[in-house]
Amino acid sequence: MSMTLLERMITIGMVVLGTMMTRFIPFLIFPSGRPTPKYVKYLGNVLPSAALGLLVVYSVRDVNLMSGNHGIPELISIAVVALVHIWRKNMLFSIVSGTVVYMVLVQLLF
């Protein structure tokens, strides 16, 4: 399906508008002179942990414990993520560490 020039211009304009709205709306809702609302601070505290939990659930959703590698690489990777996160308290470092361990296990051992 090909688009006409007008359809392409409208599509690009809508993408630009959507991108700009997501950038500017927070500055309109939360101006710099006012304190940050409590619920935003709460979300800033709980959302990283919730996102990490969601990633763990997503990563093990298709694991079959009765066949294949029995989920051993996934369990080891989750343990690595938990230990690294307890040790460093850095979510990005924890996720990258678990991903690297999982890829090494899957590609070289299992």
Side-chain angles (χ1 to χ4, degrees):
M1 180 176 129
S2 64
M3 294 191 292
T4 64
L5 179 62
L6 179 63
E7 291 171 336
R8 283 186 258 169
M9 290 174 61
I10 291 172
T11 302
I12 291 170
M14 297 305 288
V15 169
V16 169
L17 181 66
T19 302
M20 298 308 283
M21 285 177 58
T22 59
R23 300 296 190 269
F24 293 131
I25 285 177
F27 291 105
L28 296 174
I29 295 174
F30 307 113
S32 63
R34 294 175 35 194
T36 305
K38 288 182 181 179
Y39 69 93
V40 173
K41 289 181 180 178
Y42 172 75
L43 289 174
N45 288 332
V46 298
L47 279 181
S49 300
L52 188 59
L54 187 65
L55 284 173
V56 170
V57 170
Y58 182 78
S59 68
V60 295
R61 74 182 195 289
D62 292 330
V63 172
N64 187 352
L65 298 176
M66 300 302 164
S67 67
N69 53 28
H70 306 287
I72 294 171
E74 289 83 2
L75 288 175
I76 292 172
S77 301
I78 290 170
V80 167
V81 168
L83 292 174
V84 169
H85 192 70
I86 290 170
W87 174 46
R88 301 294 293 185
K89 305 233 185 278
N90 184 329
M91 184 161 297
L92 181 62
F93 187 59
S94 305
I95 292 171
V96 169
S97 300
T99 302
V100 168
V101 167
Y102 177 76
M103 292 308 294
V104 167
L105 289 173
V106 170
Q107 296 295 324
L108 299 178
L109 295 179
F110 293 94

